[in-house]
Coordinates of all heavy atoms in Angstrom, one line a residue:
M232 N 9.3 26.5 14.7 CA 8.5 27.1 15.8 C 8.0 26.0 16.7 O 7.6 24.9 16.2 CB 7.3 27.9 15.2 CG 6.6 28.5 16.4 SD 5.0 29.3 16.0 CE 5.4 30.5 14.8
T233 N 8.0 26.2 17.9 CA 7.6 25.2 18.9 C 6.3 25.7 19.6 O 6.3 26.9 20.1 CB 8.7 25.0 19.9 OG1 9.9 24.5 19.2 CG2 8.3 23.9 20.9
C234 N 5.3 24.9 19.6 CA 4.0 25.3 20.3 C 4.1 25.2 21.8 O 5.1 24.7 22.3 CB 2.9 24.4 19.7 SG 2.9 22.7 20.4
E235 N 3.1 25.7 22.5 CA 3.1 25.7 23.9 C 3.1 24.3 24.5 O 3.7 24.0 25.5 CB 1.9 26.4 24.5 CG 2.0 28.0 24.3 CD 3.2 28.5 25.0 OE1 3.5 28.1 26.2 OE2 4.0 29.3 24.4
L236 N 2.4 23.3 23.8 CA 2.4 21.9 24.3 C 3.8 21.4 24.3 O 4.2 20.7 25.2 CB 1.5 21.1 23.4 CG 0.0 21.4 23.4 CD1 -0.7 20.7 22.3 CD2 -0.6 21.1 24.8
C237 N 4.6 21.6 23.2 CA 5.9 21.1 23.1 C 6.9 21.8 24.1 O 7.7 21.2 24.7 CB 6.4 21.2 21.7 SG 5.6 20.0 20.6
K238 N 6.7 23.1 24.3 CA 7.5 23.8 25.2 C 7.4 23.2 26.6 O 8.3 23.2 27.4 CB 7.1 25.3 25.2 CG 7.6 26.1 24.0 CD 7.2 27.5 24.1 CE 7.6 28.2 22.8 NZ 7.0 29.6 22.8
R239 N 6.1 22.8 27.0 CA 5.9 22.2 28.3 C 6.1 20.7 28.3 O 5.9 20.1 29.3 CB 4.4 22.5 28.7 CG 4.1 24.0 28.9 CD 2.8 24.2 29.6 NE 1.7 23.3 29.1 CZ 0.7 23.6 28.3 NH1 0.7 24.9 27.8 NH2 -0.2 22.7 27.9
N240 N 6.4 20.1 27.2 CA 6.6 18.7 27.0 C 5.3 18.0 27.5 O 5.4 17.0 28.2 CB 7.8 18.2 27.8 CG 8.2 16.8 27.2 OD1 7.9 16.5 26.1 ND2 8.9 16.0 28.1
S241 N 4.2 18.5 27.1 CA 2.9 18.0 27.5 C 2.7 16.6 26.9 O 3.1 16.4 25.8 CB 1.8 19.0 27.0 OG 0.5 18.4 27.1
P242 N 1.9 15.8 27.6 CA 1.6 14.5 27.0 C 0.5 14.6 25.9 O 0.3 13.7 25.2 CB 1.0 13.7 28.2 CG 0.6 14.7 29.2 CD 1.5 15.9 29.0
V243 N -0.1 15.8 25.9 CA -1.1 16.1 24.8 C -0.4 16.6 23.6 O 0.6 17.4 23.7 CB -2.1 17.1 25.3 CG1 -3.1 17.5 24.2 CG2 -2.8 16.7 26.6
L244 N -0.8 16.1 22.4 CA -0.2 16.5 21.1 C -1.3 17.1 20.2 O -2.4 16.7 20.3 CB 0.4 15.3 20.4 CG 1.5 14.6 21.2 CD1 1.8 13.2 20.5 CD2 2.8 15.4 21.2
D245 N -0.9 18.1 19.5 CA -1.7 18.7 18.5 C -1.2 18.3 17.1 O -0.2 18.9 16.7 CB -1.7 20.2 18.7 CG -2.5 21.0 17.6 OD1 -3.1 20.3 16.7 OD2 -2.5 22.2 17.7
F246 N -1.8 17.4 16.5 CA -1.3 16.9 15.2 C -1.4 17.8 14.0 O -1.0 17.6 12.9 CB -1.8 15.5 14.9 CG -1.2 14.4 15.7 CD1 -1.8 13.9 16.8 CD2 0.1 13.9 15.3 CE1 -1.2 12.9 17.6 CE2 0.7 12.9 16.1 CZ 0.1 12.5 17.2
S247 N -2.0 19.0 14.3 CA -2.0 20.0 13.2 C -0.7 20.9 13.3 O -0.4 21.7 12.5 CB -3.2 21.0 13.4 OG -3.1 21.7 14.6
S248 N 0.1 20.6 14.3 CA 1.3 21.3 14.6 C 2.5 20.4 14.2 O 2.6 19.2 14.7 CB 1.4 21.7 16.0 OG 2.7 22.3 16.3
T249 N 3.4 20.9 13.4 CA 4.6 20.1 13.0 C 5.4 19.7 14.2 O 5.9 18.5 14.2 CB 5.5 21.0 12.0 OG1 4.7 21.3 10.9 CG2 6.7 20.2 11.6
C250 N 5.6 20.6 15.1 CA 6.5 20.2 16.3 C 5.9 19.0 17.1 O 6.6 18.2 17.5 CB 6.8 21.4 17.2 SG 5.3 22.2 17.8
C251 N 4.6 19.0 17.2 CA 4.0 17.9 17.9 C 4.1 16.6 17.1 O 4.3 15.5 17.7 CB 2.5 18.2 18.2 SG 2.2 19.3 19.5
R252 N 4.0 16.7 15.8 CA 4.2 15.5 15.0 C 5.6 15.0 15.1 O 5.9 13.7 15.2 CB 3.9 15.7 13.5 CG 2.4 16.0 13.3 CD 2.1 16.2 11.8 NE 0.7 16.6 11.6 CZ 0.0 16.2 10.6 NH1 0.5 15.5 9.6 NH2 -1.2 16.6 10.4
V253 N 6.6 15.9 15.1 CA 8.0 15.5 15.3 C 8.2 14.8 16.6 O 8.8 13.8 16.8 CB 8.9 16.7 15.1 CG1 10.3 16.4 15.5 CG2 8.8 17.2 13.7
R254 N 7.6 15.5 17.7 CA 7.8 14.9 19.0 C 7.2 13.5 19.1 O 7.8 12.6 19.7 CB 7.1 15.9 20.0 CG 7.5 15.6 21.5 CD 7.2 16.8 22.3 NE 5.9 17.3 22.2 CZ 4.9 17.2 23.1 NH1 5.2 16.5 24.2 NH2 3.8 17.8 23.0
F255 N 6.0 13.3 18.5 CA 5.4 12.0 18.4 C 6.3 11.0 17.8 O 6.6 9.9 18.3 CB 4.1 12.1 17.7 CG 3.5 10.8 17.4 CD1 2.9 10.0 18.4 CD2 3.4 10.3 16.1 CE1 2.4 8.7 18.1 CE2 2.9 9.1 15.8 CZ 2.3 8.3 16.8
L256 N 6.8 11.3 16.6 CA 7.7 10.4 15.8 C 8.9 10.0 16.6 O 9.4 8.9 16.6 CB 8.1 11.0 14.5 CG 7.0 11.0 13.4 CD1 7.5 11.6 12.1 CD2 6.3 9.7 13.2
M257 N 9.5 11.0 17.4 CA 10.7 10.7 18.1 C 10.5 9.7 19.2 O 11.4 9.2 19.8 CB 11.2 12.0 18.7 CG 11.7 13.0 17.6 SD 13.1 12.4 16.6 CE 14.4 12.3 17.8
T258 N 9.2 9.5 19.6 CA 8.9 8.5 20.7 C 8.8 7.1 20.1 O 8.7 6.1 20.9 CB 7.7 8.9 21.5 OG1 6.5 8.8 20.6 CG2 7.8 10.3 22.0
L259 N 8.6 6.9 18.8 CA 8.3 5.6 18.3 C 9.6 4.8 18.3 O 10.7 5.3 18.1 CB 7.8 5.8 16.8 CG 6.5 6.5 16.7 CD1 6.1 6.6 15.3 CD2 5.4 5.7 17.5
P260 N 9.4 3.5 18.6 CA 10.6 2.6 18.8 C 11.4 2.2 17.5 O 12.5 1.7 17.6 CB 10.0 1.4 19.5 CG 8.6 1.4 19.1 CD 8.2 2.8 18.9
S261 N 10.7 2.3 16.3 CA 11.5 1.9 15.1 C 11.4 2.8 14.0 O 10.4 3.6 13.9 CB 10.9 0.5 14.7 OG 9.7 0.7 14.0
R262 N 12.4 2.8 13.1 CA 12.4 3.6 11.9 C 11.2 3.3 11.0 O 10.6 4.1 10.4 CB 13.7 3.4 11.2 CG 14.0 4.3 10.1 CD 15.3 4.0 9.5 NE 15.7 5.1 8.7 CZ 16.9 5.3 8.2 NH1 17.8 4.4 8.4 NH2 17.2 6.3 7.4
D263 N 10.9 2.0 10.9 CA 9.7 1.6 10.1 C 8.4 2.2 10.6 O 7.6 2.7 9.7 CB 9.6 0.0 10.1 CG 10.7 -0.7 9.3 OD1 11.3 0.0 8.5 OD2 10.9 -1.9 9.6
M264 N 8.2 2.3 11.9 CA 7.0 2.9 12.4 C 7.0 4.4 12.0 O 6.0 4.9 11.6 CB 6.9 2.7 13.9 CG 6.7 1.3 14.3 SD 6.7 1.1 16.1 CE 5.0 1.7 16.5
R265 N 8.1 5.1 12.1 CA 8.2 6.5 11.8 C 7.9 6.7 10.3 O 7.2 7.6 9.9 CB 9.6 7.1 12.2 CG 9.8 7.1 13.7 CD 11.0 7.9 14.0 NE 12.3 7.2 13.7 CZ 12.8 6.2 14.4 NH1 12.3 5.8 15.5 NH2 14.0 5.7 14.0
A266 N 8.5 5.8 9.5 CA 8.2 5.9 8.0 C 6.8 5.7 7.7 O 6.2 6.3 6.8 CB 9.1 4.9 7.3
E267 N 6.1 4.7 8.4 CA 4.7 4.5 8.1 C 3.8 5.7 8.5 O 2.9 6.1 7.7 CB 4.2 3.3 8.9 CG 4.8 2.0 8.4 CD 4.5 0.8 9.3 OE1 3.6 0.9 10.2 OE2 5.1 -0.3 9.1
W268 N 4.1 6.3 9.6 CA 3.4 7.5 9.9 C 3.6 8.7 8.9 O 2.7 9.4 8.6 CB 3.7 8.0 11.4 CG 2.9 7.3 12.4 CD1 3.2 6.2 13.2 CD2 1.6 7.6 12.7 NE1 2.2 5.9 14.0 CE2 1.2 6.7 13.7 CE3 0.7 8.6 12.3 CZ2 -0.1 6.7 14.3 CZ3 -0.6 8.6 12.9 CH2 -1.0 7.7 13.8
L269 N 4.9 8.8 8.5 CA 5.2 9.9 7.6 C 4.4 9.6 6.3 O 3.9 10.6 5.6 CB 6.7 9.9 7.3 CG 7.5 10.7 8.3 CD1 9.0 10.5 8.1 CD2 7.2 12.2 8.2
E270 N 4.4 8.4 5.8 CA 3.7 8.1 4.6 C 2.2 8.3 4.7 O 1.5 8.8 3.8 CB 3.9 6.6 4.2 CG 3.4 6.3 2.8 CD 3.9 7.1 1.7 OE1 5.1 7.6 1.8 OE2 3.2 7.4 0.7
R271 N 1.6 8.0 5.9 CA 0.2 8.2 6.1 C -0.1 9.7 6.1 O -1.0 10.2 5.4 CB -0.2 7.7 7.5 CG -1.6 7.9 7.9 CD -1.9 7.4 9.3 NE -1.6 6.0 9.3 CZ -1.5 5.2 10.4 NH1 -1.7 5.8 11.6 NH2 -1.3 4.0 10.4
W272 N 0.8 10.5 6.7 CA 0.6 12.0 6.7 C 0.8 12.5 5.3 O 0.1 13.5 4.9 CB 1.5 12.6 7.7 CG 1.1 12.4 9.1 CD1 -0.1 12.0 9.6 CD2 2.0 12.4 10.2 NE1 0.0 11.8 11.0 CE2 1.2 12.0 11.4 CE3 3.4 12.6 10.4 CZ2 1.8 12.0 12.7 CZ3 3.9 12.6 11.7 CH2 3.1 12.2 12.8
R273 N 1.8 12.0 4.6 CA 2.1 12.5 3.2 C 0.8 12.3 2.3 O 0.5 13.2 1.6 CB 3.3 11.7 2.7 CG 3.8 12.2 1.3 CD 5.1 11.6 0.9 NE 6.2 12.4 1.5 CZ 7.0 12.0 2.5 NH1 6.9 10.8 3.0 NH2 7.9 12.8 3.0
K274 N 0.2 11.2 2.4 CA -1.0 10.9 1.6 C -2.2 11.8 2.1 O -3.0 12.3 1.3 CB -1.5 9.4 1.8 CG -0.5 8.5 1.0 CD -1.0 7.1 1.2 CE 0.0 6.1 0.5 NZ -0.3 4.7 0.8
R275 N -2.4 11.9 3.4 CA -3.5 12.7 3.9 C -3.3 14.2 3.9 O -4.2 14.9 3.6 CB -3.8 12.2 5.4 CG -5.1 12.8 5.9 CD -5.4 12.4 7.3 NE -4.5 13.2 8.1 CZ -4.2 12.9 9.4 NH1 -4.8 11.9 10.0 NH2 -3.4 13.7 10.1
D276 N -2.1 14.6 4.3 CA -1.9 16.1 4.5 C -0.9 16.7 3.5 O -0.7 17.9 3.6 CB -1.3 16.3 5.9 CG -2.3 15.8 7.0 OD1 -3.5 15.9 6.8 OD2 -1.8 15.2 7.9
G277 N -0.4 15.9 2.6 CA 0.5 16.5 1.5 C 2.0 16.3 1.8 O 2.4 16.1 2.9
H278 N 2.7 16.4 0.7 CA 4.1 16.3 0.7 C 4.9 17.3 1.5 O 5.8 17.1 2.2 CB 4.7 16.2 -0.7 CG 4.3 14.9 -1.5 ND1 5.1 13.8 -1.3 CD2 3.3 14.7 -2.3 CE1 4.5 12.8 -2.0 NE2 3.4 13.3 -2.6
R279 N 4.4 18.6 1.3 CA 5.1 19.7 2.0 C 5.2 19.5 3.5 O 6.2 19.6 4.1 CB 4.4 21.0 1.7 CG 5.1 22.2 2.2 CD 4.4 23.4 1.8 NE 5.0 24.6 2.4 CZ 4.5 25.8 2.3 NH1 3.4 26.0 1.6 NH2 5.2 26.8 2.9
M280 N 4.0 19.1 4.1 CA 4.0 18.9 5.6 C 4.9 17.8 6.0 O 5.7 17.8 6.9 CB 2.5 18.7 6.0 CG 2.4 18.6 7.5 SD 2.9 17.0 8.2 CE 2.0 15.8 7.2
A281 N 4.7 16.6 5.3 CA 5.5 15.4 5.6 C 7.0 15.6 5.4 O 7.7 15.2 6.2 CB 5.0 14.2 4.8
D282 N 7.3 16.4 4.4 CA 8.7 16.6 4.1 C 9.3 17.5 5.3 O 10.4 17.3 5.7 CB 9.0 17.3 2.8 CG 8.7 16.4 1.6 OD1 8.6 15.2 1.8 OD2 8.6 16.9 0.5
E283 N 8.5 18.5 5.7 CA 9.0 19.3 6.8 C 9.2 18.5 8.1 O 10.2 18.7 8.8 CB 7.9 20.4 7.1 CG 8.3 21.4 8.1 CD 7.2 22.5 8.2 OE1 6.5 22.8 7.3 OE2 7.2 23.1 9.3
V284 N 8.2 17.6 8.4 CA 8.3 16.8 9.6 C 9.5 15.9 9.5 O 10.4 15.7 10.4 CB 7.0 16.0 9.8 CG1 7.2 14.9 10.9 CG2 5.9 16.9 10.2
E285 N 9.7 15.3 8.3 CA 10.8 14.3 8.1 C 12.2 15.0 8.2 O 13.1 14.5 8.9 CB 10.7 13.7 6.7 CG 11.7 12.7 6.4 CD 11.5 12.0 5.0 OE1 10.9 12.6 4.2 OE2 12.0 10.9 4.9
K286 N 12.3 16.2 7.7 CA 13.5 17.0 7.8 C 13.9 17.2 9.3 O 15.0 17.1 9.7 CB 13.4 18.3 7.1 CG 14.6 19.2 7.1 CD 14.4 20.5 6.4 CE 15.6 21.4 6.6 NZ 15.3 22.7 6.3
E287 N 12.9 17.7 10.1 CA 13.1 18.0 11.5 C 13.5 16.7 12.3 O 14.4 16.7 13.1 CB 11.9 18.6 12.1 CG 12.0 19.0 13.5 CD 13.1 20.0 13.8 OE1 13.4 20.9 12.9 OE2 13.6 20.0 14.9
V288 N 12.8 15.6 12.0 CA 13.1 14.3 12.6 C 14.6 13.9 12.3 O 15.3 13.5 13.2 CB 12.1 13.2 12.3 CG1 12.6 11.9 12.7 CG2 10.8 13.5 12.8
K289 N 15.0 14.0 11.1 CA 16.4 13.7 10.7 C 17.4 14.6 11.4 O 18.4 14.1 11.9 CB 16.6 13.8 9.2 CG 15.9 12.7 8.4 CD 16.1 12.9 6.9 CE 15.5 11.7 6.2 NZ 15.7 11.9 4.7
E290 N 17.1 15.8 11.6 CA 18.0 16.8 12.3 C 18.1 16.4 13.8 O 19.2 16.4 14.3 CB 17.5 18.2 12.1 CG 17.7 18.8 10.8 CD 17.1 20.2 10.6 OE1 16.7 20.8 11.6 OE2 17.0 20.6 9.4
R291 N 17.0 16.1 14.4 CA 17.0 15.7 15.8 C 17.7 14.4 16.0 O 18.5 14.2 17.0 CB 15.6 15.6 16.3 CG 14.9 16.9 16.5 CD 13.7 16.9 17.3 NE 13.0 18.2 17.3 CZ 12.0 18.4 18.0 NH1 11.5 17.5 18.8 NH2 11.4 19.6 18.0
W292 N 17.5 13.4 15.1 CA 18.3 12.1 15.2 C 19.8 12.4 15.1 O 20.6 11.8 15.8 CB 17.8 11.1 14.3 CG 16.6 10.3 14.8 CD1 15.3 10.4 14.3 CD2 16.6 9.4 15.9 NE1 14.5 9.6 15.1 CE2 15.2 9.0 16.1 CE3 17.5 9.0 16.8 CZ2 14.9 8.1 17.1 CZ3 17.1 8.1 17.8 CH2 15.8 7.7 17.9
S293 N 20.1 13.3 14.2 CA 21.5 13.6 14.0 C 22.1 14.2 15.2 O 23.2 13.9 15.7 CB 21.7 14.6 12.8 OG 23.0 15.0 12.6
Q294 N 21.4 15.1 15.9 CA 21.8 15.7 17.1 C 22.0 14.7 18.2 O 22.9 14.7 19.0 CB 20.8 16.8 17.6 CG 20.8 18.0 16.7 CD 19.7 19.0 17.0 OE1 18.9 18.7 17.9 NE2 19.7 20.1 16.4
R295 N 21.0 13.7 18.3 CA 21.1 12.7 19.3 C 22.4 11.8 19.1 O 23.0 11.5 20.0 CB 19.9 11.8 19.2 CG 18.7 12.3 19.9 CD 17.6 11.2 20.0 NE 16.5 11.7 20.7 CZ 15.4 11.0 21.0 NH1 15.4 9.7 20.7 NH2 14.4 11.5 21.6
R296 N 22.6 11.5 17.8 CA 23.8 10.7 17.6 C 25.1 11.4 17.9 O 26.0 10.8 18.5 CB 23.9 10.3 16.1 CG 22.9 9.1 15.7 CD 23.1 8.6 14.4 NE 22.8 9.6 13.3 CZ 21.6 9.8 12.8 NH1 20.6 9.1 13.2 NH2 21.5 10.6 11.8
K297 N 25.2 12.7 17.6 CA 26.3 13.5 18.0 C 26.5 13.6 19.5 O 27.6 13.4 20.0 CB 26.2 14.9 17.4 CG 26.4 15.0 16.0 CD 26.3 16.4 15.5 CE 26.4 16.5 14.0 NZ 26.2 17.9 13.5
M298 N 25.4 13.7 20.2 CA 25.5 13.8 21.7 C 25.9 12.4 22.2 O 26.7 12.4 23.2 CB 24.1 14.2 22.3 CG 23.6 15.5 21.9 SD 24.3 16.8 22.9 CE 23.4 16.5 24.4
A299 N 25.4 11.4 21.7 CA 25.8 10.0 22.2 C 27.2 9.7 21.9 O 27.8 9.0 22.7 CB 24.9 9.0 21.5
S300 N 27.7 10.2 20.8 CA 29.1 9.9 20.5 C 30.1 10.8 21.2 O 31.3 10.7 21.1 CB 29.4 9.9 19.0 OG 29.3 11.3 18.5
G301 N 29.6 11.9 21.8 CA 30.4 12.8 22.5 C 31.0 13.9 21.6 O 31.8 14.7 22.0
S302 N 30.5 13.9 20.3 CA 31.0 14.9 19.4 C 30.3 16.3 19.7 O 29.2 16.3 20.1 CB 30.6 14.6 18.0 OG 31.3 13.4 17.6
P303 N 31.1 17.4 19.6 CA 30.5 18.7 19.8 C 29.5 19.0 18.6 O 29.6 18.5 17.5 CB 31.7 19.6 19.7 CG 32.8 18.9 19.1 CD 32.5 17.5 19.3
S304 N 28.6 19.9 18.9 CA 27.6 20.2 17.9 C 28.2 20.8 16.6 O 28.8 21.5 16.3 CB 26.6 21.3 18.4 OG 26.0 20.7 19.6

């Protein structure tokens, strides 16, 4: 599910929302930075939430790589 902030690509993020967390991670310049944030959330908010965010981020990176290589979805 995508919140209204993400639908509008708002510069404001709601970190109680998975989609906003994913959008935030997708802006980070390195994999290490993304991993650090996921670990922080995993400790603070639990494995279930962090696993959900991590899964979505992996799917989006996969889609980006496919688009960059010119492969169809």
Side-chain angles (χ1 to χ4, degrees):
M232 181 191 298
T233 302
C234 72
E235 287 301 314
L236 294 171
C237 289
K238 286 178 185 175
R239 293 191 320 256
N240 199 25
S241 171
V243 176
L244 299 168
D245 174 5
F246 283 99
S247 66
S248 174
T249 299
C250 57
C251 284
R252 290 182 188 214
V253 169
R254 193 161 53 105
F255 169 73
L256 289 181
M257 295 299 292
T258 66
L259 296 177
S261 76
R262 187 177 197 173
D263 288 340
M264 291 175 80
R265 291 187 293 276
E267 288 172 14
W268 273 100
L269 278 168
E270 188 56 32
R271 180 181 302 168
W272 292 334
R273 188 169 272 109
K274 288 178 183 174
R275 190 182 73 194
D276 302 322
H278 288 277
R279 183 177 178 188
M280 182 285 310
D282 291 346
E283 185 178 335
V284 171
E285 185 175 25
K286 179 183 174 195
E287 181 65 27
V288 168
K289 286 180 179 180
E290 287 176 13
R291 289 192 187 188
W292 275 111
S293 176
Q294 290 172 357
R295 279 189 181 186
R296 284 191 294 273
K297 286 179 184 176
M298 297 275 290
S300 69
S302 298
S304 302

